[in-house]
Amino acid sequence: MSGRGVWLRARARLRRFPALLAGCGEQASAYGRCVAAASAGSAELRRDVCLREFQALRECFARAVGPGSCLRGARVGRGPAAALTRFPLQAAAAK
Amino acid sequence: PIPHKGLWRPGRSPGRAAAAAAPPPGGASPGARSPFDRRLKRKQKNWAALRPRPAECEYLRDEVGGGVADRVLDIPRTFPLALDLGSGRGHIARHLSREVIEKLVRVDIAENVFKGTVESEIPTVSVVADEEFLPFKEDTFDLVVSSLSLHWVNDLPKAFREIHQVLKPDGVFIGAMFGGDTLYELRCSLQLAELEREGGFSPHVSPFVAVSDLGHLLSRAGFNTLTVDTDEIQVNYPGLFEVMEDLQGMGESNCSWNRKPLLHRDTMLAAAAIYQEMYGNSDGSVPATFQIFYMIGWKFHESQAKPAQRGSATVSLGDLAKIDKLLHQK
C-alpha cells in the first residue's frame, strides 16, 4: 500500500465505523459475550472460537455499510484490489 | 543565536542534541534496551501539534499538568530557573505565576509543539532536545518538572540520572507519568480480539513502569526524600475507535519497535465489540483508565533533613499509649 490517497480513503472509511457499529449492537454484544466466556477462568482463547457470532456481526456491519462497497463479502486478508476486480465480472454477467 | 551560553554542556549543544535525537546511539536499533522509536514519536507529536484544534485532545495533559503545578505550589519557594521536560504546548506553566518560577526552559523532542504554545506569564525559552540527552550543564536548575512524556523514553534510568545531574543541590524534580494499569481495557480488548480472529497477538499498548520500579529507579539515580503517589483518571468514550483517535490526537500513538504496523479491519471490529461488552458502562459509553504516577525527588544538600542516627531516640515506641502525658510534659 502506497500513496497518500489510499491512506486518506482508509481513514475516511474508518471514521464511519462507530456509526455503523451502533446499528449492530445486538450482534456485537453476542460476540463480546462469547469471547468473554471463552477467555474466562482457565479457558484458553483460540482462533475462531466465536466464528459464528463474528460472522453475524460482520454481516450486520456489511448491511449497514450498503451495497457496492468493498466490505461486502470481503474476507480477512483480501485487499481493496481483490474487491475491485469483482465489478467488471458482475457487469459482464449482467449483459 | 543560542541564548544563555552558560547553560550548555560542553560537547552537547542543542543543535547536536537534536541531531543526536534523530538516530540516538544505541537507540536506533530495536531491542530490549530501546523499545521505542524516538524518530517516529517525534513525527507523531509534530503531526498532533499541527492539527486544526490541538486543544481538543489535551484534556488529560491539562489535568495532569495542573496536578504537577499543585505539587510545585506546595513547596513554599521561588525557583529562579526551572526546566519543563517534554513540555508539549505547555500545560504546567499556565497554572503557575512569576512568583513561583522566575524563568522557564521548555524542552520537547517535537519542534511543532512550540508553534502554538499556551499562554503563560513566566518568561520562557524553548529548546528542541531529547529527554535522554539533555544539553545542559550540571547544577543548572532549581526545579525540573515533567508531565506525561517520560513513558516514551527508552532508557528511563539514564533520563532520571540526567535530570538529577542538571539539578542544583537542594533542587527538586516533580514528575508525572503514565504507569501500571493505564489503558488496560484497550490492551485486553485488542489482545482478545487478535487471539480470536488471528490466532496470536502482538503488543499494541506500550509497556508501562510499575510503581515499585519507579521508587527504585529514582533512588538509584541519586534522588532523596522520594514521594510517589498514584492517581487514576477514567475517561469515557463512545467506543474503541474514539479512544484510539483521541490517543492519536494527543500524540500518544504507539511507537514501539515491536508494534504491528497493520491492524486488520476485522480485528478492530472484534475489539470494539469486546471492549463494549466487557467494559462498557450502562449508558453505552466505554471507559479508558489512565493511571498517573506523581513523583517528587530531591537532590542532596546538607541543609536537608537526614534520617536520625541509630540510638539517638529519646522516647520509646512502647510509650505510645502515654503519648498525651509525654506531650504535656514538654
Side-chain angles (χ1 to χ4, degrees):
Chain A
M1 285 229 295
S2 63
R4 204 168 145 68
V6 177
W7 188 71
L8 284 175
R9 280 199 297 279
R11 280 175 72 82
R13 255 203 304 273
L14 222 50
R15 244 179 238 125
R16 298 177 60 203
F17 264 43
L20 300 171
L21 191 56
C24 299
E26 210 185 280
Q27 288 87 345
S29 209
Y31 176 72
R33 272 196 304 271
C34 170
V35 172
S39 55
S42 58
E44 214 185 274
L45 185 64
R46 279 192 307 275
R47 187 177 183 169
D48 286 341
V49 161
C50 300
L51 181 61
R52 240 186 336 208
E53 286 84 354
F54 184 73
Q55 276 172 338
L57 174 60
R58 206 191 28 225
E59 270 157 35
C60 169
F61 201 72
R63 274 197 304 273
V65 166
S69 108
C70 290
L71 276 173
R72 244 174 180 248
R75 286 206 289 270
V76 172
R78 267 216 198 168
L84 282 172
T85 53
R86 290 175 168 222
F87 289 92
L89 291 171
Q90 281 176 352
K95 265 204 199 154
Chain B
I2 303 175
H4 311 291
K5 278 228 166 76
L7 279 179
W8 309 120
R9 179 187 292 183
R12 252 209 221 167
S13 71
R16 261 187 67 185
S29 56
R33 297 287 329 255
S34 53
F36 303 120
D37 181 355
R38 293 288 286 171
R39 240 202 320 224
L40 179 59
K41 179 46 59 188
R42 182 177 171 193
K43 273 195 238 173
Q44 287 168 349
K45 290 202 162 173
N46 273 334
W47 176 87
L50 286 184
R51 286 165 84 249
R53 287 175 307 274
E56 254 179 15
C57 289
E58 287 182 349
Y59 41 88
L60 206 55
R61 288 196 196 280
D62 282 340
E63 181 72 27
V64 178
V68 174
D70 277 344
R71 284 156 176 81
V72 174
L73 288 169
D74 278 344
I75 303 172
R77 265 164 65 167
T78 301
F79 300 97
L81 189 60
L83 171 66
D84 187 349
L85 213 47
S87 65
R89 290 171 66 243
H91 302 275
I92 305 176
R94 67 181 345 173
H95 300 280
L96 298 171
S97 68
R98 244 189 219 143
E99 281 98 50
V100 183
I101 296 179
E102 283 171 22
K103 196 177 201 99
L104 181 66
V105 178
R106 296 182 336 151
V107 162
D108 203 287
I109 194 178
E111 58 274 10
N112 288 344
V113 300
F114 296 136
K115 291 186 183 162
T117 53
V118 181
E119 285 297 320
S120 164
E121 61 172 47
I122 304 173
T124 306
V125 167
S126 306
V127 176
V128 178
D130 192 324
E131 288 97 322
E132 285 179 65
F133 303 94
L134 295 179
F136 303 113
K137 269 199 211 154
E138 260 188 69
D139 298 345
T140 314
F141 295 102
D142 305 272
L143 168 71
V144 174
V145 290
S146 174
S147 170
L148 300 184
S149 77
L150 288 171
H151 56 286
W152 290 118
V153 159
N154 271 319
D155 193 345
L156 196 54
K158 180 159 188 281
F160 282 150
R161 278 199 300 272
E162 297 255 325
I163 293 172
H164 185 258
Q165 203 174 34
V166 303
L167 267 178
K168 281 194 188 138
D170 209 25
V172 61
F173 164 55
I174 302 180
M177 56 189 289
F178 286 123
D181 289 336
T182 302
L183 294 173
Y184 75 90
E185 301 100 339
L186 181 65
R187 186 169 11 105
C188 290
S189 306
L190 284 169
Q191 191 171 316
L192 290 173
E194 275 192 302
L195 266 175
E196 201 277 325
R197 289 284 86 225
E198 298 174 34
F201 69 93
S202 67
H204 289 278
V205 178
S206 77
F208 292 117
V209 71
V211 67
S212 49
D213 297 335
L214 204 54
H216 290 148
L217 286 175
L218 285 168
S219 47
R220 286 261 300 267
F223 288 103
N224 293 341
T225 324
L226 299 172
T227 312
V228 178
D229 64 273
T230 137
D231 192 11
E232 208 173 86
I233 301 179
Q234 205 178 67
V235 185
N236 291 326
Y237 294 91
L240 175 116
F241 297 102
E242 286 83 353
V243 174
M244 286 172 55
E245 217 176 358
D246 262 20
L247 286 173
Q248 206 175 36
M250 283 185 228
E252 295 294 316
S253 316
N254 196 1
C255 69
S256 314
W257 286 108
N258 63 358
R259 75 189 182 281
K260 203 164 91 171
L262 212 59
L263 193 52
H264 290 294
R265 267 204 304 259
D266 278 2
T267 306
M268 273 210 276
L269 183 56
I274 295 171
Y275 203 146
Q276 182 69 263
E277 179 59 30
M278 285 183 70
Y279 304 107
N281 298 324
S282 49
D283 63 355
S285 64
V286 297
T289 304
F290 297 95
Q291 197 174 27
I292 322 282
F293 293 149
Y294 291 100
M295 58 202 128
I296 306 179
W298 295 80
K299 186 160 177 176
F300 174 75
H301 187 261
E302 292 82 35
S303 68
Q304 287 171 1
K306 278 193 275 288
Q309 289 278 37
R310 292 191 73 156
S312 65
T314 53
V315 180
S316 158
L317 202 59
D319 292 334
L320 201 58
K322 302 184 255 165
I323 192 158
D324 277 342
K325 208 171 23 160
L326 289 166
L327 285 172
H328 286 310
Q329 261 173 19
K330 279 210 166 209

